[in-house]
Amino acid sequence: MSRPDRFLLAGVMGWPVMHSRSPALHNYWFAHYGLAGAYVPLAIEPDDLERALRALAPLGFSGCNLTIPHKEAALAIVDRVDPVARRIGAMNCVVVAPDGSLEGQNHDAFGFVESIREAQPNWRADAGPIVVIGAGGGARAVLVSLIDQGAREIRLVNRTPARGKALAGELGCPITALGWEQREVALKGAAMLVNATNQGMVGEPPLDLALDALPVSALVSDIIYIPRETALLAAARKRGNPTVNGLGMLLHQARPAFQAWFGIMPEVTPELRAMIEATT
Ligand SMILES: NC(=O)c1ccc[n+]([C@@H]2O[C@H](COP(=O)([O-])OP(=O)(O)OC[C@H]3O[C@@H](n4cnc5c(N)ncnc54)[C@H](OP(=O)(O)O)[C@@H]3O)[C@@H](O)[C@H]2O)c1
């Protein structure tokens, strides 16, 4: 049974976790909706993950987010995993049920598609071929979201081809895995390009990709949010392509988590976006 008078609690477990933007995001919503609550960073070592997750219910937490390195390990700990998290192969959210059991969820796919729709309300996944570069955790969420939105052709390019091929086999139609040397040819006729590698993020070199073959009408998305404009997005913008950075994905993935924990689907307000942008 819910206890309406209780202090609302959630957190993020990671290691290290102090750079996480999630406390600022969720604490903004507590204040915005006039709720008494707190969202705290919890630096949990991998060996302590199970005990930390099992402590959520007795401590009165509604749940937590998970970040590096716990996203996959937690799948084997929680009592239930929702189908989207199962397909992505990782969870970024734990929800404590009224009976104290734990459900694993993943809202990165939701965050990705919401961020695209926010930037381009008329966007459709079936508008034409989509090129996705990368086959790591972020790419898995992007691919699941694109498939669920009705993408008909996804060209998946990864530096390590075997990893891209395995992912295409796992997630199935409509993904075709291509070799790294095919990444520029793959852009021909594409309606959308997504960078889901770490190339272009702060501390990494830019993504090695010439855009000449990409139609100027194609939407170019980078799931990186630091910096806010990667070299890829700058090059795309300069040649006239519409662009979307990764900040919206980060902001929007937090909304269904807040709803699952506290019953309110919060909004990404301009004030919240500006506050988080100021930290990137
Ligand atoms: N906006 C958001 O909310 C959000 C969510 C998730 C992730 N992200 C961002 O997405 C990026 C990737 O994260 P991740 O968790 O997916 O990482 P990951 O699982 O480690 O995957 C990294 C990907 O980058 C590729 N890569 C690494 N070095 C490369 C190079 N030199 N040339 C070409 N490809 C290279 C890897 O290819 P190989 O398979 O060949 O190693 C792999 O496909 C990070 O910048 C992360 O911050 C953002």
Side-chain angles (χ1 to χ4, degrees):
M1 190 150 81
S2 68
R3 292 173 294 168
D5 59 335
R6 83 190 167 120
F7 189 72
L8 304 173
L9 276 171
V12 54
M13 292 187 190
W15 182 70
V17 81
M18 296 317 288
H19 65 279
S20 170
R21 267 79 183 166
S22 293
L25 260 172
H26 290 281
N27 286 322
Y28 170 87
W29 283 325
F30 281 133
H32 188 76
Y33 293 103
L35 300 172
Y39 182 106
V40 290
L42 300 161
I44 304 294
E45 303 271 351
D47 285 350
D48 292 329
L49 181 63
E50 179 153 13
R51 280 185 301 148
L53 288 173
R54 291 293 169 201
L56 287 171
L59 287 170
F61 277 69
S62 298
C64 70
N65 285 122
L66 296 172
T67 185
I68 294 165
H70 302 319
K71 287 183 167 196
E72 290 86 18
L75 290 171
I77 296 173
V78 297
D79 302 298
R80 291 174 301 285
V81 178
D82 87 355
V84 172
R86 185 69 73 196
R87 282 162 70 214
I88 294 173
M91 10 182 311
N92 73 345
C93 177
V94 177
V95 178
V96 179
D99 66 357
S101 62
L102 304 176
E103 174 163 322
Q105 303 180 356
N106 192 318
H107 303 131
D108 280 344
F110 173 90
F112 176 72
V113 77
E114 284 289 297
S115 76
I116 298 296
R117 287 244 157 77
E118 182 182 49
Q120 290 221 329
N122 296 325
W123 173 83
R124 292 181 59 103
D126 61 0
I130 302 175
V131 179
V132 176
I133 318 266
R140 294 181 72 102
V142 166
L143 290 166
V144 165
S145 74
L146 292 173
I147 292 169
D148 289 354
Q149 292 302 313
R152 282 193 243 159
E153 182 184 347
I154 300 175
R155 303 168 184 167
L156 175 60
V157 182
N158 194 48
R159 177 184 61 172
T160 307
R163 207 173 169 201
K165 214 169 165 187
L167 189 49
E170 192 184 320
L171 295 177
C173 178
I175 305 175
T176 306
L178 301 171
W180 188 241
E181 70 292 346
Q182 291 170 283
R183 65 194 182 284
E184 280 152 9
V185 177
L187 301 178
K188 207 171 164 198
M192 184 178 189
L193 163 66
V194 185
N195 176 35
T197 73
N198 62 1
Q199 298 294 279
M201 73 180 278
V202 64
E204 294 287 339
L207 181 67
D208 178 13
L209 182 72
L211 297 179
D212 305 75
L214 185 72
V216 286
S217 56
L219 176 62
V220 180
S221 158
D222 202 322
I223 69 167
I224 289 169
Y225 55 90
I226 304 177
R228 265 181 272 156
E229 184 173 74
T230 58
L232 171 70
L233 291 189
R237 179 176 53 78
K238 278 180 197 144
R239 66 197 291 280
N241 292 91
T243 63
V244 185
N245 70 15
L247 189 63
M249 179 175 176
L250 176 79
L251 297 172
H252 284 282
Q253 62 75 32
R255 294 172 56 221
F258 195 88
Q259 183 183 38
W261 299 327
F262 310 122
I264 292 174
M265 186 63 153
E267 292 302 314
V268 172
T269 63
E271 184 188 31
L272 173 62
R273 180 178 282 274
M275 187 183 85
I276 300 297
E277 272 181 359
T279 71
T280 63

